[in-house]
Amino acid sequence: MRDINQFTITEAVKASFKTAEGSRLKFLLEAFIDHLHDYTREVNLTHDEWIGVLNFLYDCGQISTPERHEFILLSDVLGFSALVDMINTRGGATEGSNLGPFYLDDAPRMALGGDLGRGRDGAVLLVQGQVRDTLGNPIPGAVIDTWQADAAGTYPIQEQASGQDKFDLRAIITANDKGEYWYTTVLPKPYTVPYDGPVGRLLRAGQRHSWRASHLHYIIRAEGYRAITTEMFFEATEYLDNDAVFGVRRSLVTKLETVKKTDTLPPTDKKPDAKCAFDFVLAPAG
Ligand code: BEZ
Ligand code: FE
């Protein structure tokens, strides 16, 4: 009979999995077991702490629905999502940032110069820029998929019960033959991540707030390029230094400028009050 103790158990657990030699699964599983066991030994985990963690995860499962994934939120507030975004950003490409829970993959199409805000309250913001490759060449016809909160910090998808259309404030725009895009929208406000569940309890236990810096979400796609999921933030706005989900990167912060009469602007359906510019850079696929 084998004699397992607190030091030999790690190798025994790893050996119990018959995963293919050299496989990614074997690599991921073994490293996970190593770190989990090392952590447990390092902190001398008690039974109460152990069951506390498992009950916390159980609560995350209980509150999750197809519209609310508490484990993703947990990953977000622990900086786990941000870390995965960071290590998967290709050199020279726009930095990745949170997808968040409010993406829908079938947003309506909108023409260049269209107004995403469609008469909503709030300052009208012109967003413009170019999609390029890592060598600086424009990517004609790149697809810009965008979604955002309104001027009160709410996503229409969260307010369907009060009659809001979940497709409001989201659109798919095709860049022109120079890779340029432009549209108007309402300037979004900061908002809180859901804090009425176990992740909210964790934030309160750590005396953390649940606010996100004001942002616009994007997925940029083009044939032959690796798609990027990212966010655009605005200089001198709140929570840039303590965004609840660690989504802000210096390179993703753009400057908001008041539109002046003398500005030369691209043609838009709605006259903008403010403008910002942001170029996206895609790395080749593969
Ligand atoms: C968002 O940016 O939409 C978001 C990200 C993480 C949690 C909740 C919302
Ligand atoms: Fe968001």
Side-chain angles (χ1 to χ4, degrees):
M1 206 194 102
R2 62 182 179 175
D3 181 19
I4 302 185
N5 61 37
Q6 65 163 302
F7 298 106
T8 59
I9 189 168
T10 305
E11 288 309 315
V13 173
K14 288 197 286 185
S16 72
F17 288 97
K18 304 296 175 221
T19 42
E21 212 49 54
S23 67
R24 179 79 176 156
L25 175 61
K26 186 178 181 69
F27 178 66
L28 293 177
L29 199 55
E30 294 195 347
F32 180 71
I33 294 163
D34 276 336
H35 287 277
L36 182 66
H37 285 208
D38 282 346
Y39 171 81
T40 308
R41 282 183 288 257
E42 182 188 326
V43 302
N44 250 318
L45 203 69
T46 67
H47 277 107
D48 282 351
E49 291 160 349
W50 166 79
I51 198 68
V53 169
L54 297 184
N55 284 340
F56 178 84
L57 295 177
Y58 176 86
D59 292 346
C60 288
Q62 287 293 102
I63 204 166
S64 290
T65 64
E67 283 80 39
R68 175 171 183 171
H69 197 319
E70 194 77 357
F71 291 100
I72 294 184
L73 186 57
L74 177 61
S75 157
D76 292 344
V77 304
L78 291 178
F80 180 33
S81 313
L83 188 54
V84 173
D85 290 337
M86 289 167 189
I87 63 182
N88 283 285
T89 292
R90 293 291 162 98
T94 300
E95 290 189 87
S97 187
N98 296 67
L99 174 68
F102 301 127
Y103 176 65
L104 294 178
D105 62 10
D106 45 0
R109 298 247 158 207
M110 187 172 80
L112 284 169
D115 181 45
L116 194 61
R118 288 200 282 158
R120 283 174 176 271
D121 290 344
V124 179
L125 173 68
L126 169 69
V127 187
Q128 60 185 333
Q130 189 186 36
V131 185
R132 293 191 298 266
D133 66 18
T134 44
L135 297 174
N137 303 306
I139 305 182
V143 174
I144 294 119
D145 194 344
T146 184
W147 67 105
Q148 64 168 93
D150 63 17
T154 307
Y155 284 81
I157 195 172
Q158 296 173 288
E159 306 254 293
Q160 290 181 82
S162 57
Q164 295 229 29
D165 182 345
K166 67 177 178 180
F167 288 109
D168 270 2
L169 289 180
R170 57 184 77 232
I172 296 177
I173 303 162
T174 304
N176 69 9
D177 57 2
K178 294 188 193 118
E180 295 162 336
Y181 74 94
W182 67 93
Y183 66 98
T184 56
T185 188
V186 286
L187 184 61
K189 274 271 154 51
Y191 62 85
T192 58
V193 300
Y195 56 86
D196 57 340
V199 172
R201 287 202 313 266
L202 180 66
L203 291 177
R204 283 190 289 283
Q207 298 184 47
R208 279 178 56 182
H209 68 71
S210 50
W211 288 92
R212 292 224 55 201
S214 163
H215 58 273
L216 306 176
H217 286 276
Y218 293 95
I219 297 180
I220 313 294
R221 302 182 180 89
E223 186 87 30
Y225 295 88
R226 190 182 163 92
I228 48 163
T229 299
T230 193
E231 300 175 282
M232 185 194 296
F233 300 87
F234 307 104
E235 224 174 80
T237 56
E238 278 180 293
Y239 310 115
L240 288 177
D241 285 327
N242 53 5
D243 179 57
V245 301
F246 304 91
V248 182
R249 323 267 179 271
R250 195 178 291 273
S251 71
L252 301 180
V253 180
T254 177
K255 198 172 177 163
L256 273 180
E257 288 175 289
T258 306
V259 168
K260 294 190 288 295
K261 280 206 178 91
T262 49
D263 286 345
T264 309
L265 302 177
T268 50
D269 295 349
K270 190 143 190 190
K271 199 170 146 307
D273 307 309
K275 61 177 185 174
C276 68
F278 194 85
D279 295 341
F280 296 99
V281 179
L282 302 188

